[in-house]
Amino acid sequence: MNKKHKWLFNFSSSTVGGGLIRTLETIKWFDSKNGAYFIVNGRIKNLVLKYRKNNKYFFVSDNKVMRLFLDGYYIRRIINEIGMPDVYFSYGIPVFKEIGKINWFHISNALALKTNKISLPLKTIIQMLILKKRIIKSMKYADIATGESEFSINLLKQEANRRNFNCHYDVLPNGFDIKSIKETVNRKREAFKKYAVTIGTYKYKKIKLALDLFHQIKEANNLKKFIIVGSANNIPRSVISDKLVEIVPSISRKDLLNLLYNAEYYISTSQIENSSNAVLEALLLSKNIILSNIPSHNEMLRNLKTKTITLNNIEFHVLKDIDNNKIEAMSWIEVFKKMFDIINNFKKSSDLSKKY
């Protein structure tokens, strides 16, 4: 463990999806360097313990009540054991006091800051409104705040600036695994029946709309199947009953990348995203893509030429015959290098003499 720069990461709420990907990539990278301390959920214990050459882990259990009303109840015990870290990085968990010399909050879910006009269950809306209030309240303790897109970090800045909180803001995007992407694209595309795919089934993903888009383009593109990756519990019955729909509740990372690589189309009709891992990987792998016109998608497409398709008076971006080499994206290695750049920029702009 590098004694000069002691990092404590809090990924205790990340067990699935993009949060899990970032957790594991951060763990792998730091373990290959000088190591760090990690607070992680006990449900992923078997995934992280293979990386313990230099890292040390603290496992916490699921407790939704504590998660919503008393985040960080385990922090005091950990600090008593390891001492004050140089950097405390909290992924989506409010920072309610000075824990490290530098306290870093990363917004993990844009829904925590914006639920207006988004299709969500009432229970989720209430949870997000409570979380938003707690995040904003905690921002007075944050030295650095990041989000995975300009959209998400601007939402946070707007709320914090109203309260005159002094904080260093930056974008810390999702990355991609160089080895996995290279291994996938080096394979010959399989001659399956042509299909389209979408990933994620939460209500705000608008799966029914994605299926309608599929039907609009299927004849012109000879599409035979629409594959939905995610829990069937969140999918409308009208979608489940469609004969061309195939639901894949769970899938390995390798198989997911292959699914994207061999797809004729990737479709996302999501209403909101912090920054989608699935869209990033689809841009790097898939032949053609249809994306909803939302801020974080637009950022990812900023330097690309797109066409539009309209459904129910809603316009969607279309990218055809994508040259994946032209996609501007950071590898995870570059993301972690940027973390240190953010730290250095913060130090240059701040008086840390009292902390160091």
Side-chain angles (χ1 to χ4, degrees):
M1 190 76 67
N2 188 330
K3 295 181 180 180
K4 187 176 180 181
H5 297 290
K6 186 190 300 180
W7 288 72
L8 173 62
F9 289 90
N10 190 345
F11 284 109
S12 59
S13 65
S14 306
T15 59
V16 296
L20 178 59
I21 292 172
R22 184 179 284 269
T23 300
L24 295 178
E25 292 295 339
T26 308
I27 282 170
K28 286 192 289 184
W29 192 86
F30 273 85
D31 196 53
S32 71
K33 304 300 179 183
N34 294 312
Y37 294 100
F38 287 88
I39 305 168
V40 294
N41 194 288
R43 282 198 284 156
I44 63 169
K45 188 173 184 179
N46 64 320
L47 297 177
V48 306
L49 284 182
K50 64 182 76 173
Y51 306 106
R52 50 182 170 179
K53 178 183 177 182
N54 294 303
N55 291 339
K56 182 171 181 180
Y57 302 100
F58 300 93
F59 297 100
V60 298
S61 60
D62 278 327
N63 188 320
K64 291 185 178 180
V65 175
M66 297 290 273
R67 169 78 177 92
L68 199 57
F69 294 103
L70 196 61
D71 280 333
Y73 61 93
Y74 40 78
I75 292 290
R76 180 179 294 180
R77 169 179 59 85
I78 293 171
I79 297 302
N80 286 342
E81 180 175 337
I82 71 172
M84 177 180 279
D86 294 301
V87 183
Y88 172 65
F89 182 99
S90 186
Y91 184 77
I93 311 287
V95 182
F96 285 108
K97 59 182 178 180
E98 288 192 355
I99 295 168
K101 294 176 183 177
I102 296 175
N103 296 283
W104 186 332
F105 174 74
H106 183 87
I107 182 69
S108 62
N109 188 346
L111 286 172
L113 298 172
K114 179 177 172 59
T115 56
N116 186 37
K117 296 182 180 180
I118 307 296
S119 298
L120 295 168
L122 179 58
K123 180 181 178 182
T124 301
I125 292 174
I126 294 171
Q127 289 174 338
M128 290 300 106
L129 290 174
I130 293 172
L131 182 56
K132 176 181 178 179
K133 184 176 181 180
R134 300 182 73 245
I135 286 172
I136 300 308
K137 182 180 179 181
S138 76
M139 282 298 295
K140 63 182 176 182
Y141 298 106
D143 300 300
I144 297 173
T146 50
E148 287 154 23
S149 63
E150 293 173 12
F151 166 68
S152 59
I153 199 62
N154 284 337
L155 287 176
L156 188 61
K157 283 172 69 174
Q158 289 167 12
E159 295 293 342
N161 287 344
R162 290 174 190 166
R163 295 157 178 83
N164 296 318
F165 294 151
N166 187 24
C167 190
H168 181 85
Y169 298 97
D170 213 325
V171 176
L172 188 68
N174 286 318
F176 67 91
D177 180 65
I178 297 173
K179 182 180 177 182
S180 297
I181 295 296
K182 281 186 176 180
E183 287 178 351
T184 304
V185 298
N186 284 338
R187 299 187 186 102
K188 185 178 180 180
R189 281 194 163 108
E190 300 172 4
F192 289 148
K193 286 183 178 179
K194 291 187 176 181
Y195 64 88
V197 62
T198 192
I199 298 174
T201 60
Y202 292 113
K203 194 172 182 180
Y204 67 88
K205 299 283 188 178
K206 307 298 287 186
I207 294 299
K208 178 63 168 63
L209 187 58
L211 178 61
D212 291 341
L213 272 174
F214 165 80
H215 280 293
Q216 181 166 310
I217 66 170
K218 70 180 175 63
E219 288 188 12
N221 295 277
N222 197 27
L223 300 177
K224 305 298 183 183
K225 187 165 52 175
F226 185 50
I227 299 176
I228 301 172
V229 179
S231 172
N233 295 334
N234 302 318
I235 302 175
R237 289 183 180 179
S238 61
V239 174
I240 294 174
S241 63
D242 191 296
K243 293 180 180 179
L244 297 184
V245 166
E246 178 184 334
I247 299 169
V248 181
S250 62
I251 190 171
S252 69
R253 287 288 301 152
K254 180 179 178 180
D255 289 343
L256 180 63
L257 295 181
N258 283 332
L259 190 68
L260 289 170
Y261 183 55
N262 289 292
E264 196 68 20
Y265 273 88
Y266 175 77
I267 299 174
S268 172
T269 49
S270 182
Q271 291 178 294
I272 188 171
E273 294 286 348
N274 190 348
S275 182
S276 170
N277 275 284
V279 170
L280 172 60
E281 290 169 345
L283 283 167
L284 293 168
L285 294 171
S286 300
K287 299 176 190 175
N288 309 297
I289 295 180
I290 300 176
L291 299 178
S292 51
N293 182 4
I294 60 173
S296 61
H297 285 171
N298 296 343
E299 289 179 40
M300 299 173 83
L301 303 178
R302 184 176 286 155
N303 298 315
L304 301 173
K305 292 182 180 180
T306 65
K307 297 181 180 180
T308 59
I309 186 174
T310 303
L311 176 66
N312 299 333
N313 294 320
I314 304 172
E315 284 194 348
F316 297 87
H317 299 294
V318 180
L319 287 82
K320 301 202 71 173
D321 300 318
I322 300 170
D323 184 350
N324 310 108
N325 294 319
K326 292 184 177 180
I327 304 301
E328 292 189 5
M330 282 189 176
S331 68
W332 282 114
I333 294 171
E334 292 169 320
V335 170
F336 299 129
K337 287 180 179 178
K338 182 168 184 180
M339 286 184 70
F340 286 90
D341 289 339
I342 291 172
I343 288 284
N344 290 332
N345 290 336
F346 167 69
K347 288 180 179 179
K348 289 177 182 177
S349 62
S350 305
D351 179 13
L352 292 182
S353 58
K354 294 181 180 179
K355 292 191 174 186
Y356 288 87

